[in-house]
């Protein structure tokens, strides 16, 4: 998902001139500014398949550090097991996300009415229903935007732009251990319907500075037409997220971050079962 498109899949179509490129991107910016306001209140199911290189022993070690009575991690003196050399398939998760008044809200109730507990170790994302579009286009306007290529979309050619955002202009927020928040420099792609400015794919890939440069934080979201109520809207249909973070646990010496072993997490996400929030009343005379 994050690799360059194979040359054979790039449309052999002349690049638009600078004025046309600017017009297309401005339509994309306007779309990102207005799309959230146009969406109705709705719910959708987010289904995630997790992959990671956390070994079973390391997962057990991580869970044993959690003190459920105090909600904190207890000290653990033993050496933390090393990550596995292969990505492993993790337990899939599925829950309902509601979108109300322009805000994305995760429903923590499972099908049986039991609340879902956050995983002791793993990766989660937020903002696919609109905020990520505003972040990418808004930050790109303060960074560098340049033409990339044409590619074939479901209904016609898509205009693909690339962009670079410096750390001082970045609103791409990454939460780490202890809810520590950082906004790294990043680059990405935006695939746009040139006629309407509708954004059909957005990619954000971190460019960490020392000592975090071995780390990776990346997210891709693909959008498509979905039926909500009696109307069709462009909403997320697929997402991919990758996180590669230093394992600064016990036994790794607490050394320099760029020399620590890293753990990799991958989420493959689909969005389905869109439903509008609506009530109908019939009054009988």
């Amino acid at each position: 998902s994050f690799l360059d498109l194979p040359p054979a899949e790039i449309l052999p179509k002349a690049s638009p001139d600078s004025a046309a490129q600017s017009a297309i991107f401005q339509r994309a910016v306007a779309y990102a500014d207005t799309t959230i306001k146009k969406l109705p209140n709705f719910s959708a199911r987010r289904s995630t398949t997790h992959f990671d290189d956390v070994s079973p022993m390391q997962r057990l070690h991580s869970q044993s550090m959690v003190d459920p009575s105090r909600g904190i991690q207890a000290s653990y003196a033993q050496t933390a097991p090393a990550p596995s050399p292969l990505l492993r398939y993790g337990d899939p998760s599925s829950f309902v996300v509601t979108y109300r008044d322009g805000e994305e809200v995760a429903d923590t109730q499972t099908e049986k009415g039991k609340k879902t507990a956050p995983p002791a170790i793993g990766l989660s994302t937020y903002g696919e229903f609109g905020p990520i579009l505003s972040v990418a286009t808004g930050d790109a306007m303060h960074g560098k935007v340049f033409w990339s290529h044409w590619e074939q979309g479901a209904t016609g050619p898509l205009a693909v732009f690339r962009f670079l955002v410096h750390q001082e202009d970045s609103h791409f927020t990454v939460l780490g251990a202890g809810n520590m928040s950082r906004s790294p420099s990043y680059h990405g792609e935006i695939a746009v319907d040139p006629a309407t400015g509708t954004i059909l794919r957005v990619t954000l890939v971190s460019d960490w500075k020392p000592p975090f440069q071995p780390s990776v934080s990346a997210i891709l979201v693909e959008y498509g037409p979905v039926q909500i109520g009696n109307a069709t809207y462009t909403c997320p249909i697929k997402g991919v997220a990758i996180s590669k973070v230093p394992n600064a646990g016990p036994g790794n010496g607490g050394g320099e971050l760029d020399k620590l072993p890293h753990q990799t997490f991958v989420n493959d996400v689909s969005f389905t079962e869109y439903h509008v929030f609506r009530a109908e009343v019939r009054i009988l005379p």
Side-chain angles (χ1 to χ4, degrees), residues 10 103 111 114 134 194 238 267-268 273:
I10 296 177
E103 295 290 336
E111 299 298 331
K114 298 179 181 179
S134 301
K238 178 178 175 57
N267 283 358
D268 185 72
E273 300 180 21

Side-chain angles (χ1 to χ4, degrees), residues 50-65 73 79-91 119-123 243-249 252 261-267:
H50 304 271
F51 301 88
D52 60 52
D53 60 359
V54 180
S55 67
M57 283 298 296
Q58 187 180 8
R59 190 179 303 281
L60 180 62
H61 166 85
S62 175
Q63 293 171 347
S64 68
M65 291 177 65
Q73 286 194 333
T79 301
S84 164
L86 299 174
L87 287 180
R88 299 170 182 267
Y89 172 78
D91 293 332
I121 186 170
L123 170 65
S243 177
K244 184 178 180 181
V245 295
N247 178 17
N252 286 334
H262 279 62
Q263 295 174 333
T264 302
F265 303 90
V266 178
N267 283 358

Side-chain angles (χ1 to χ4, degrees), residues 189-201:
E189 278 190 354
I190 299 177
V192 182
D193 182 324
T196 64
T198 301
I199 299 174
L200 296 172
R201 187 181 73 249

Side-chain angles (χ1 to χ4, degrees), residues 164-260:
L164 298 171
V165 177
H166 297 297
Q167 185 171 358
E168 56 268 24
D169 299 317
S170 173
H171 293 86
F172 177 24
T173 303
V174 179
L175 292 176
N179 287 330
M180 182 177 293
S181 173
R182 291 186 175 89
S183 295
S185 303
Y186 67 98
H187 66 276
E189 278 190 354
I190 299 177
V192 182
D193 182 324
T196 64
T198 301
I199 299 174
L200 296 172
R201 187 181 73 249
V202 61
T203 305
L204 283 65
V205 181
S206 62
D207 296 312
W208 290 100
K209 295 180 179 180
F212 303 102
Q213 69 274 21
S215 301
V216 175
S217 303
I219 182 171
L220 172 144
V221 184
E222 295 178 358
Y223 300 84
V226 298
Q227 191 79 15
I228 305 178
N230 296 321
T232 300
Y233 299 89
T234 300
C235 291
I237 55 176
K238 178 178 175 57
V240 178
I242 297 178
S243 177
K244 184 178 180 181
V245 295
N247 178 17
N252 286 334
E256 299 178 13
L257 290 177
D258 56 351
K259 296 180 181 179
L260 290 174

Side-chain angles (χ1 to χ4, degrees), residues 114-140:
K114 298 179 181 179
K115 289 191 174 182
T116 58
I121 186 170
L123 170 65
S124 60
T125 59
Y126 170 85
E128 291 89 345
F129 288 95
I132 191 175
L133 300 181
S134 301
V135 166
T137 56
D139 287 356

Side-chain angles (χ1 to χ4, degrees), residues 6-156:
E9 296 184 24
I10 296 177
L11 294 181
K13 182 179 178 180
S15 302
D17 59 32
S18 58
Q21 293 177 22
S22 178
I24 294 172
F25 193 79
Q26 288 299 328
R27 283 194 282 272
V29 173
Y31 171 81
D33 288 341
T34 59
T35 181
I36 301 175
K37 300 175 184 177
K38 292 181 178 179
L39 291 175
N41 292 341
F42 65 86
S43 67
R45 179 167 298 281
R46 178 202 295 263
S47 301
T48 304
T49 303
H50 304 271
F51 301 88
D52 60 52
D53 60 359
V54 180
S55 67
M57 283 298 296
Q58 187 180 8
R59 190 179 303 281
L60 180 62
H61 166 85
S62 175
Q63 293 171 347
S64 68
M65 291 177 65
V66 177
D67 183 347
S69 64
R70 302 175 60 193
I72 61 173
Q73 286 194 333
S75 61
Y76 200 85
Q78 295 185 12
T79 301
S84 164
L86 299 174
L87 287 180
R88 299 170 182 267
Y89 172 78
D91 293 332
S93 65
S94 178
F95 59 91
V96 173
V97 175
T98 59
Y99 188 89
R100 294 196 300 267
D101 302 324
E103 295 290 336
E104 180 181 332
V105 182
D107 189 347
T108 57
Q109 297 291 333
T110 65
E111 299 298 331
K112 296 180 180 180
K114 298 179 181 179
K115 289 191 174 182
T116 58
I121 186 170
L123 170 65
S124 60
T125 59
Y126 170 85
E128 291 89 345
F129 288 95
I132 191 175
L133 300 181
S134 301
V135 166
T137 56
D139 287 356
M141 292 290 288
H142 294 90
K144 296 181 179 180
V145 181
F146 48 96
W147 174 260
S148 181
H149 61 273
W150 292 104
E151 68 180 59
Q152 186 60 46
T155 59

